[in-house]
Amino acid sequence: MVYLAAEGRYGSMHYQRCGRSGVLLPKVSLGLWHNFGDTHPIETQRDVLRRAFDLGVTHIDLANNYGPPPGSAESNFGTIFAQDFRPYRDELFIASKAGYLMWPGPYGEFGSRKYLLASLDQSLTRMGLDYVDVFYSHRFDPDTPLEETMGALDTAVRQGKALYAGLSNYPPEAIERAAAILKELRTPYLINQHPYSILQRGVEGGVLEASAQAGVGVIAFSPLAQGQLTDRYLKGVPADSRMALGHFLKRDVLTEQRISLLHALNKLAEGRGQTLAQMALAWVLRDPRVVSVLIGASSVAQLEQNVAVLDSPALTDAELTEIDRLSAENGVEIP
């Protein structure tokens, strides 16, 4: 069946300006890190992408290594894009990244000009795109001159293969230096991407402030701590869960103290008439420097439940204080 996007797709989504740019991003964006590789049915992937766009989720986040296997998320997205979304390309904001291992040998990872530009070409081929809206350096490379890495991002923009540059997983001091280089090159530097959740608050130690000083937005990945901040693990580790697979999320993080915290947070969320996931997303979005949260979705129902956070009231000062208290008492490091 030919896909026709919902006419009212922009009626309920909330959009926020990204830093000091002209770009508005949806406050909830769709990340294809998990659930869009070859281990998941492409029919489900198509259903999720269609429903996301119908809900006004215009920002789709990918990277060269998303899968599994690496590259498959971009390939699967490319297949669905060609069939469903090509007429809507100008309504979509598509991101990709390069930085982690993609192919063997000395040129298959990190921050060299050779790797970044070769990887971008491969990503565009997999997705069937002429350009991405933002291209990220996926991780800071301490062994490559920052001028070289930023120069590669600048080249990608000047070649018309990316509209904006972004950084992911960079420490504050590197963000400051990179911003100065990109400003000198007159490269449109848009956004920083970092993990941020109630359970992982490292960005509060300088990244948020460095980003604001640079005039760029922050987009949060893993705002649900890879599923910990859902009802998924309140009664143990389900056999089909991400933690059971043990690839990125290990069983040893689910200590008795962590389980106690999750139950306490869940009780607080219930008192707000929300799921734990919805409260966790609302918590990340409380900071105006965070332009959007990246959610993964294995089903349309999960997607809809998480997007519904936009209909919830803001967390009160008392609730924020209680989340801080519970977190500190249960081992969460608060900068």
Side-chain angles (χ1 to χ4, degrees):
M1 180 180 293
V2 175
Y3 169 65
L4 294 175
E7 290 185 4
R9 57 188 174 276
Y10 297 115
S12 59
M13 177 53 66
H14 300 182
Y15 298 89
Q16 184 164 307
R17 189 165 303 280
C18 191
R20 292 196 292 263
S21 77
V23 173
L24 297 173
L25 292 180
K27 296 189 79 170
V28 176
S29 300
L30 182 62
L32 307 193
W33 180 20
H34 296 290
N35 306 317
F36 286 82
D38 289 347
T39 55
H40 291 76
I42 197 164
E43 293 80 8
T44 302
Q45 298 176 33
R46 175 177 286 108
D47 290 344
V48 169
L49 282 162
R50 285 180 171 186
R51 184 58 178 148
F53 190 54
D54 285 347
L55 291 170
V57 178
T58 54
H59 180 31
I60 308 298
D61 181 79
L62 294 119
N64 59 355
N65 64 330
Y66 288 178
S72 60
E74 289 184 331
S75 295
N76 290 335
F77 173 76
T79 297
I80 299 168
F81 174 83
Q83 295 173 355
D84 292 346
F85 292 102
R86 191 170 297 281
Y88 306 101
R89 174 64 184 97
D90 293 337
E91 297 182 47
L92 290 169
F93 200 89
I94 301 169
S96 192
K97 316 178 195 71
Y100 289 94
L101 182 65
M102 268 304 286
W103 60 84
Y107 316 121
E109 63 177 326
F110 282 112
S112 73
R113 178 180 182 84
K114 178 173 176 63
Y115 166 66
L116 290 175
L117 295 178
S119 181
L120 176 56
D121 284 343
Q122 292 180 17
S123 291
L124 292 174
T125 297
R126 282 191 290 267
M127 292 187 285
L129 300 177
D130 297 322
Y131 69 95
V132 290
D133 295 281
V134 59
F135 181 53
Y136 290 88
S137 170
H138 205 168
R139 61 170 166 170
F140 176 62
D141 180 355
D143 297 320
T144 297
L146 200 55
E147 292 79 2
E148 177 176 346
T149 302
M150 296 306 104
L153 296 181
D154 178 71
T155 295
V157 172
R158 293 184 186 279
Q159 289 178 339
K161 296 176 181 178
L163 301 186
Y164 299 91
L167 305 179
S168 182
N169 300 307
Y170 272 56
E173 59 276 9
I175 290 173
E176 293 174 6
R177 290 170 50 212
I181 295 168
L182 292 170
K183 183 177 181 180
E184 185 175 354
L185 291 170
R186 301 183 68 84
T187 312
Y189 172 30
L190 180 73
I191 195 165
N192 290 328
Q193 186 174 138
H194 292 268
Y196 190 27
S197 72
I198 292 173
L199 303 181
Q200 189 172 6
R201 299 177 60 163
V203 296
E204 295 173 9
V207 165
L208 290 173
E209 181 58 30
S211 300
Q213 290 297 320
V216 302
V218 173
I219 187 167
F221 75 85
S222 293
L224 303 180
Q226 298 191 57
Q228 291 182 75
L229 291 166
T230 69
D231 60 5
R232 191 84 162 121
Y233 299 104
L234 293 175
K235 297 181 180 179
V237 181
D240 62 344
S241 67
R242 191 176 298 177
M243 189 175 289
L245 295 175
H247 187 196
F248 291 103
L249 186 62
K250 307 298 183 184
R251 284 177 179 266
D252 57 10
V253 305
L254 203 64
T255 62
E256 289 187 11
Q257 187 179 50
R258 175 59 53 82
I259 292 172
S260 175
L261 172 59
L262 296 180
H263 278 279
L265 292 171
N266 188 60
K267 183 177 180 180
L268 185 61
E270 288 177 343
R272 286 174 48 83
Q274 287 183 309
T275 66
L276 174 55
Q278 288 169 340
M279 186 182 77
L281 293 173
W283 183 89
V284 175
L285 287 168
R286 81 200 187 286
D287 193 311
R289 294 170 295 187
V290 177
V291 65
S292 184
V293 289
L294 279 167
I295 62 167
S298 59
S299 68
V300 168
Q302 186 182 67
L303 169 77
E304 291 175 338
Q305 184 183 78
N306 288 338
V307 171
V309 66
L310 301 174
D311 299 325
S312 63
L315 288 153
T316 66
D317 289 342
E319 288 168 335
L320 292 171
T321 298
E322 180 65 3
I323 290 172
D324 282 351
R325 184 188 69 80
L326 291 169
S327 299
E329 288 181 356
N330 287 279
V332 175
E333 185 175 343
I334 302 176

